[in-house]
Every structure is written in structure tokens, then in C-alpha cells.
Amino acid sequence: MTYAIRAEGLVRRFGATTALAGVDLAVPTGTVFGLLGPNGAGKTTAVRVLATLLAADEGHATVGGYDVRRDAHRVRQLIGLTGQYASVDENLTGTENLLLIGRLLGMSRGDARSRARQLLADFQLTDAAERAAKTYSGGMRRRLDLAASLVGRPQVLFLDEPTTGLDPRSRNELWDIVRNLVADGVTVLLTTQYLEEADQLAGEIAVVDHGRVIAQGTPEELKARTGGQVLAVRPIDPADLPTVLAITGEVTGAAPEVAQSTVAVPVNDPAVLPAVVRRLDAAEIAVAELALRSASLDEVFLSLTGHRAEQDAPTDADLERILV
Amino acid sequence: MSSATLAAPLAPARRPSLAAGLRHTFTLAWRSLVQIKHNPMELLDLSIQPVMFVLLFTYVFGTAIAGSPGDYLTFALPGIIVQNAFFATMTTGFGLNNDLTKGVFDRLQSLPVARWAPLAGRIVADTVKQAWSVALLLGVGMLLGFRVGTGFAGLLAAFALLLVFSLAASWISVLVGVLVSEPDKVQIFGFMVIFPLTFTSNAFVPTDKMPSWLQRWVEINPATILADALRGLLVSGPVAGPVARSLIWAAVLLAVFAPLAVRALRRRA
Ligand SMILES: Nc1ncnc2c1ncn2[C@@H]1O[C@H](COP(=O)(O)OP(=O)(O)O)[C@@H](O)[C@H]1O
Ligand SMILES: [Mg+2]
């Protein structure tokens, strides 16, 4: 197997903060690799080191077989970078932004122009092509930003939280774009705070916290380690809570928790759902809500690290509601 | 498989050539200039502000300071050009800070582009903008009665001196642009430093009309020295002394601020 990205023992400090505390990564060519972690985990720092923007204090890394320090210029000829904040020039039009990149990459004027036209069409920006990017919506900016990182047909693409701040529709569009790129053989390193996003796109996920990789595996492996899914039941009458607690505990064989008048219990087997419904029915308990949702990043974190991620985990995005 | 069909070269270049670096510089300069199209305020900044200064100074202070607007213009236009050049250097730091805070700088750094090209591209573009506003100042000045007393060679030399000095002074702006957190702070810095600097020089008021305690500073103020050099090159009066002293100032600014700015940029990026 060849690796598009390899990192060994990357350490990077900022004053007293250790942003990377010894990170090892190996990303096979042609795959999507997810770096999953909360704010401040060190994801952006790792991307910046791999994309030659920042020197690591210790350790070394190669991209496409080239050392990111010694052969930075060669690495830059292979990579595309979409940073955490859309880094398009707001005072240029969509076309001009892409022309700029094409020309900097050494394309002729004609080639740069036709590449720009093609990318704008691929990303549904043709209508806005001649407008300054400052008039674009957040989703359009993100797409232009991604288009800009693809002008040179990179072999390795870095996407730093590409969907943070996007509405669900734009997010789905972006996911489709990433899937198409991988189908074309591009290697993608994606950072995200959302388990669902890593789950949708990545073949392999490394969970990072405080600058360390604390777990690594396929999405299925990681979810299995966290108890898979969570069943939530909220009775209409809070007086029924003890009964609900007893029923769910009995059916799942796990320890349910109560929060905000809702009973939550980890489940490994979705088949318990009908059983719970039947038992609640038999006990004549009216429920306001019965939901089976995938483990959130927060729960992954809780189970892996024993502490909660510092910031709120996504909620609605991860909910797969089954309304009864 | 035939290697001729491979899209990417097998062995990418180890570092960009000088020719490539210059190409990057001009592409990036194009980028800074084409922005004006979408940001008409910038064109106003570059055009209306200089013209407004000429009109205000000439007609508000002219008679009081020099007896007539025409005489005052002969004295003050070189000073106004100096002040305008100082303000123009601030656009370099403003644009750089914008790139740094918006992430555009990162994007450029991730491309196989010569490391010095983004800065050089800005400076080339800002030099073009500077040339435009100097030409405008001279044009308006001439309409109002300013006469070049030396000749075409003097005009060219004045322009060259102004560019050399601006290039050196831009490093202050680059340093500020790297250190502050948002573009507007570059402008605030510019106003806080440039107005006091030019108003305590002989740019607008002759040294002997200044309070005596200020005169010693006025004489060594770089704005005074540069204004005197431009007067010599454009109108009449000594040339060699003020030009030499302007160049020394430029060398000092370059020696002090270029290394500081480059170091700050490395640290921030
Ligand atoms: N340029 C910097 N200067 C100082 N501290 C930084 C810098 N960049 C990142 N950090 C710190 O390093 C840690 C990791 O940050 P980052 O890599 O941005 O995390 P993430 O992208 O996962 O949110 C954080 O504590 C952050 O405050
Ligand atoms: Mg980040």
C-alpha cells in the first residue's frame, strides 16, 4: 500500500500551548481520512503542518513521498488546501479568483480561463461568476473556496472543517463533491467536529484530543466502541419516568439515564426498538417522543476520554428521529 | 503506459525559478489592481483625497502662508506629494493584513509560488497606485498654476526618488500589517503617525514660520528632507544634499524595518 500522507511524532507548541503532542498518521493513497475532534484539538495545526504552512517542532511528515519541510515546494505542487475559513479574495469575482490561482500555477491565460469556467459550472457558480465574492452567500463562498483548491487538479486535498457553518443542503452538496473527487483518485484529509460527517465520508477516522490521536479506526469500529446508538424516550407524564426507566433497562440490558424528562439508553441492536414500544404500550404509557439516534461526538468523546468535548456536540444533525 | 500521457510531471521542480517568481509577482500585482474595479472606494481614496488636499491647502492656507495661492502651491505641492506617498505606503500593510486575517495568505502560501512573490506583488501594485496619484497631484497642481522649473529629467528623478523612499517606508506598513489584528487598525496607525509627522515638517509650512522649539525636529524630519529634495528636483534649489539625506533615511528605514517585518511575518504565518 502506498501512503499519500505520512506523519510521525509531530509536535508543535505555541508558547505554553501544545497544539500537537506527537501525532502519527498514515493515509493510504486514494482514500478519505477524517481527523475528528473538538475545537482546539489541534486539527488545524496538523493540516497547516502537512500543507507546508507551519513547521513542526519535532517529528516529520511526507506528502506524496516528499518531506513537507525539505521539499515544501514539491509538496505544494501536489496539494490543494481549503482552510477553515473560506479564503477567497472578496474583492475579486468568482472567475478572477480562479484565474488568479490558475495563473499562479503556471497555466496559460486560455487554459486558466477554461479551467475556471469548468469549475464554476461544476460548482453551480456560473450565474455568479462575474460578481465580486463579497456578494456571495456562505455556501457559495465555500464552494468557490473548494473550487480554488482544485484548479491545479491536486493529488492530495486538505479540507479543514469544510462544512462548519453550512446549512444541511449545502453540506450535502459538498459531501457529494468530495465523494466525486475520491472516485477520481484524489486522497482527502478532512477535519471535522461532526462524527456524522466523518462517518459519511471517511474510510478511516482518527479522533484527536489535546493534540493526540486517542482512537483510530473505521467509523463502524469507533461507533461500536461507544455503544453505537442511543434510544431516547420521553413520556408525556413525568410520573411515568420510573416505569420507563425500568422497561428500557430491562429490554436493553444497559443502564439508562434521565435528563430533562427524557430517558436515554445506549443500544447496540436497533431491534430493541419494537420491543420497547410493545412494553410501553402494554404499560399504557403515552410517550411524547421516542427516538433512536446515532452516538454524537460528545458521546464518542465521553466514552473515549472520560471527559466531554469542550463545546456542544451537534444535536439535530445527528438525530435520526423515529416519531411514534 | 506511455509516460507522455501523465498529467503531472514525475519530478516536480525543487524550487521556483527567478523567472517564475517574477511571473507570480506580476500575477499578484494584477490581482491587487483588478480589485479596484470591485471596490470603487479605493479609486476614490487614490484620486479624491489627493485632489482635495491640493485644493484645501492651496485655497485655505495659501494666501496666509505665502501671500498667494500660486506661490504657496509652488512651495507646498512637493510637500503634499510627500504626505500622499506616506499614506500610499499604508495600503501595503492594509492589504497584507486583509490577506492574513481572511486566510488568503495561507492559500497563497500553500501554492507552489515563490515565497517573496505575494509581498513583491503587493508592492508592485502599490507602486502603480502611487504613480497614479502622483501624476494626478502634479496634473491638478499644474492646472492651478504649479510649474515644473527644472525639466523632464528632474521630473523623472523626483519620481524615482519618491518610489525608492516609498519602497523603504512600506516596510513599516508591512510590519504594522502583520502585527495588528484587523485591517482598519493599519489605517488608524497611519493617521496617528503620518499626520503628526507631515505637519511637523516643512511640507506645508516653511520651517522659519514654525515655533522655534519645533524647528530642530522639523529640520531632521524625513518628510522635510524628502519634500526639500522634491522641491530641488521639481522647482529649484539645492538637490544633492536633500536627495542624499533622503536616500540615507530610506536606507535606515529599510535596514530597521525590513528584517523586523520579515521576522514578524514568519512568526505569524
Ligand atoms: N498561531 C497560534 N498561536 C497560538 N496558539 C495557537 C495558534 N494556533 C493554534 N493555537 C492553539 O493550539 C491549539 C490547537 O488549535 P487548532 O489546531 O486550531 O485546533 P482545532 O483546529 O482542532 O480547533 C489551541 O489551543 C489553539 O489555541
Ligand atoms: Mg480548526
Side-chain angles (χ1 to χ4, degrees):
Chain A
M1 181 157 12
T2 64
Y3 292 96
I5 303 170
R6 286 204 89 133
E8 274 167 41
L10 291 182
V11 174
R12 171 71 206 209
R13 299 180 199 90
F14 295 104
T17 312
T18 303
L20 297 178
V23 168
D24 301 323
L25 295 173
V27 182
T29 304
T31 65
V32 182
F33 190 93
L35 271 188
L36 175 68
N39 245 335
K43 304 181 297 296
T44 298
T45 305
V47 167
R48 286 171 56 82
V49 167
L50 295 171
T52 77
L53 300 179
L54 194 70
D57 296 327
E58 289 166 35
H60 56 91
T62 60
V63 172
Y66 295 115
D67 188 281
V68 294
R69 282 302 281 166
R70 271 179 292 123
D71 265 330
H73 187 66
R74 283 178 172 154
V75 170
R76 291 179 192 125
Q77 292 169 69
L78 307 177
I79 64 171
L81 169 68
T82 297
Q84 186 167 353
Y85 307 99
S87 50
V88 296
D89 187 331
E90 304 194 331
N91 289 318
L92 296 183
T93 64
T95 302
E96 286 162 352
N97 264 292
L98 300 185
L99 274 179
L100 170 69
I101 309 285
R103 295 289 282 158
L104 287 175
L105 290 170
M107 295 181 181
S108 72
R109 209 169 299 235
D111 286 351
R113 198 161 276 286
S114 59
R115 182 78 178 130
R117 199 174 302 125
Q118 178 202 342
L119 282 167
L120 289 165
D122 289 352
F123 287 75
Q124 288 131 46
L125 290 169
T126 303
D127 291 341
E130 303 310 320
R131 263 169 37 204
K134 63 184 162 199
T135 67
Y136 285 18
S137 69
M140 290 163 79
R141 259 177 230 223
R142 274 270 165 210
R143 294 207 298 273
L144 180 61
D145 194 26
L146 188 55
S149 63
L150 296 177
V151 171
R153 301 178 202 277
Q155 298 171 22
V156 178
L157 185 63
F158 295 101
L159 300 176
D160 194 5
E161 298 199 26
T163 63
T164 298
L166 287 192
D167 59 70
R169 208 186 112 220
S170 310
R171 197 187 49 182
N172 282 320
E173 283 170 7
L174 208 131
W175 286 353
D176 284 338
I177 293 167
V178 174
R179 291 190 188 103
N180 288 335
L181 286 169
V182 177
D184 289 343
V186 176
T187 307
V188 178
L189 184 111
L190 168 103
T191 81
T192 181
Q193 299 192 32
Y194 308 129
L195 179 65
E196 192 201 1
E197 180 158 279
D199 192 5
Q200 288 278 338
L201 296 175
E204 180 99 0
I205 297 173
V207 182
V208 279
D209 187 35
H210 298 306
R212 273 176 218 288
V213 176
I214 54 171
Q216 188 166 335
T218 64
E220 290 66 34
E221 286 165 358
L222 285 178
K223 276 190 285 182
R225 286 177 64 172
T226 62
Q229 293 180 304
V230 174
L231 174 68
V233 184
R234 183 159 58 90
I236 288 173
D237 183 355
D240 289 331
L241 277 171
T243 325
V244 174
L245 209 59
I247 291 174
T248 51
E250 216 173 291
V251 175
T252 62
E257 286 179 357
V258 183
Q260 291 151 353
S261 309
T262 305
V263 175
V265 58
V267 293
N268 289 310
D269 176 9
V272 300
L273 188 62
V276 170
V277 173
R278 272 195 303 275
R279 292 284 304 272
L280 290 172
D281 194 37
E284 296 188 342
I285 293 173
V287 291
E289 188 181 300
L290 182 73
L292 190 61
R293 54 183 176 80
S294 47
S296 66
L297 173 63
D298 220 23
E299 281 141 354
V300 172
F301 253 80
L302 192 57
S303 89
L304 286 171
T305 64
H307 70 85
R308 289 204 174 264
E310 275 90 305
Q311 81 154 49
D312 290 348
T315 51
D316 296 302
D318 281 355
L319 287 179
E320 291 161 22
R321 288 239 137 99
I322 304 162
L323 296 173
V324 177
Chain B
M1 191 171 79
S2 143
S3 64
T5 59
L6 287 178
L10 277 174
R14 185 107 206 249
R15 48 179 38 99
S17 63
L18 181 64
L22 289 174
R23 209 163 24 74
H24 302 149
T25 299
F26 285 112
T27 301
L28 287 160
W30 163 81
R31 168 237 173 178
S32 292
L33 292 173
V34 85
Q35 283 182 341
I36 298 175
K37 222 168 56 184
H38 309 290
N39 200 5
M41 280 307 290
E42 202 182 338
L43 194 62
L44 287 186
D45 259 7
L46 289 174
S47 317
I48 294 200
Q49 191 182 311
V51 172
M52 192 183 70
F53 272 119
V54 175
L55 293 174
L56 285 178
F57 277 101
T58 308
Y59 291 106
V60 176
F61 297 140
T63 315
I65 293 175
S68 78
D71 287 345
Y72 181 66
L73 200 56
T74 306
F75 169 77
L77 191 65
I80 295 174
I81 290 175
V82 167
Q83 184 182 54
N84 183 71
F86 282 10
F87 275 117
T89 62
M90 283 299 139
T91 47
T92 307
F94 182 84
L96 178 65
N97 186 273
N98 214 10
D99 279 359
L100 285 167
T101 47
K102 297 268 162 68
V104 176
F105 196 81
D106 269 2
R107 150 79 31 80
L108 295 177
Q109 295 287 310
S110 79
L111 294 172
V113 163
R115 299 295 90 182
W116 46 271
L119 209 48
R122 278 214 164 277
I123 290 176
V124 169
D126 293 338
T127 303
V128 172
K129 293 178 192 170
Q130 167 98 280
W132 157 258
S133 49
V134 171
L136 200 67
L137 280 170
L138 279 173
V140 172
M142 284 174 177
L143 281 179
L144 300 179
F146 179 82
R147 291 288 166 264
V148 175
T150 49
F152 192 62
L155 196 65
L156 278 188
F159 198 67
L161 179 67
L162 208 54
L163 288 190
V164 168
F165 193 91
S166 301
L167 280 180
S170 325
W171 288 103
I172 302 174
S173 161
V174 170
L175 179 65
V176 176
V178 174
L179 293 180
V180 300
S181 56
E182 50 192 278
D184 288 347
K185 292 197 176 140
V186 179
Q187 270 173 332
I188 294 169
F189 170 87
F191 281 111
M192 304 247 295
V193 170
I194 295 171
F195 273 124
L197 189 73
T198 51
F199 276 77
T200 60
S201 77
N202 74 0
F204 312 118
V205 180
T207 312
D208 55 22
K209 298 207 167 153
M210 297 273 194
S212 53
W213 56 268
L214 196 59
Q215 290 185 8
R216 292 199 56 144
W217 159 247
V218 173
E219 276 160 20
I220 55 165
N221 184 332
T224 299
I225 291 166
L226 190 59
D228 279 344
L230 293 190
R231 287 183 187 114
L233 290 167
L234 290 174
V235 188
S236 65
V239 172
V243 168
R245 266 174 284 147
S246 301
L247 291 176
I248 290 172
W249 259 109
V252 169
L253 292 179
L254 184 73
V256 172
F257 288 100
L260 286 177
V262 168
R263 216 179 60 173
L265 189 58
R266 287 237 169 92
R267 190 167 292 181
R268 170 156 181 175

